[in-house]
Amino acid sequence: MSQQYAEQFRLAIANAGLNPPDNLLADSVLRRFSKDGNPLDDSGWYVFFADGLGGIFGCWSWNMTENWLADIGREWTATELAAHRKQSEESKRLRDKEKARMQLEAKGQAATVWASSTPADPANFYLQRKGIQPHGVRQMPDYSGEPSLRIPMFIGDELWNVQTI
């Protein structure tokens, strides 16, 4: 694979507003990276096809997906385009599977956080400042030891996430 094509792919990711990794692996494997350089964020992703001539990338938090084909100095043949389309479809299947796995993991973490929290104290500083009652919100100590509020986020009757205030 030509380094030239890897640089084209890297530039395409950057031109889409993402902060691409320095080294892109052309192995047809879904790879995650920070979209903006924040080490706690890995919502950027790419799949650089093993042939080094095509790929797909995007960002889960921006709900963005882009296909990419290398500039090979000539028009792509119908056969080459069909092969790229097939790789892109397989990549989408793998991304969807990874996204579902991440959502289930987040759901499990939310259940753990919710179960380990206690009903919010009506005297909580945030609730007092806003002039509102807890209405089923919970709290637990944050990293500083101060109580932070936990707001449940449901889809139907199922707890899917917990927001922290």
Side-chain angles (χ1 to χ4, degrees), residues 2-80:
S2 167
Q3 186 59 33
Q4 168 192 2
Y5 299 140
E7 188 54 30
Q8 285 181 18
F9 188 45
R10 192 177 182 300
L11 254 137
I13 295 170
N15 288 339
L18 300 170
N19 183 29
D22 291 331
N23 297 310
L24 298 169
L25 301 174
D27 57 4
S28 299
V29 173
L30 176 71
R31 305 277 176 186
R32 297 176 67 176
F33 64 92
S34 170
K35 71 177 180 300
D36 56 11
N38 177 350
L40 299 177
D41 167 57
D42 64 354
S43 61
W45 57 267
Y46 75 90
V47 178
F48 195 9
F49 300 146
D51 64 7
L53 297 175
I56 190 164
F57 64 89
C59 179
W60 279 309
S61 65
W62 294 352
N63 197 27
M64 180 213 3
T65 300
E66 290 196 24
N67 281 299
W68 172 83
L69 284 173
D71 178 357
I72 57 174
R74 63 171 173 76
E75 293 292 317
W76 284 74
T77 67
T79 302
E80 290 169 330

Side-chain angles (χ1 to χ4, degrees), residues 50-117:
D51 64 7
L53 297 175
I56 190 164
F57 64 89
C59 179
W60 279 309
S61 65
W62 294 352
N63 197 27
M64 180 213 3
T65 300
E66 290 196 24
N67 281 299
W68 172 83
L69 284 173
D71 178 357
I72 57 174
R74 63 171 173 76
E75 293 292 317
W76 284 74
T77 67
T79 302
E80 290 169 330
L81 289 172
H84 175 73
R85 199 169 16 264
K86 184 176 178 182
Q87 285 180 306
S88 294
E89 289 166 2
E90 175 63 14
S91 177
K92 180 179 181 344
R93 188 186 67 72
L94 293 173
R95 281 192 327 278
D96 290 348
K97 185 177 177 182
E98 172 67 4
K99 188 173 184 178
R101 185 199 63 77
M102 289 173 23
Q103 289 172 333
L104 282 176
E105 183 178 311
K107 182 180 175 186
Q109 290 171 347
T112 300
V113 166
W114 191 249
S116 62
S117 60

Side-chain angles (χ1 to χ4, degrees), residues 121-162:
D121 182 351
N124 175 283
F125 175 75
Y126 182 85
L127 296 174
Q128 289 292 307
R129 192 176 86 224
K130 294 292 185 177
I132 57 177
Q133 295 298 310
H135 299 291
V137 170
R138 295 187 179 192
Q139 69 183 29
M140 66 187 296
D142 63 16
Y143 299 108
S144 69
E146 294 296 317
S148 60
L149 297 176
R150 305 296 192 212
I151 315 298
M153 299 167 69
F154 292 93
I155 295 178
D157 292 336
E158 290 188 77
L159 178 68
W160 275 88
N161 210 338
V162 176

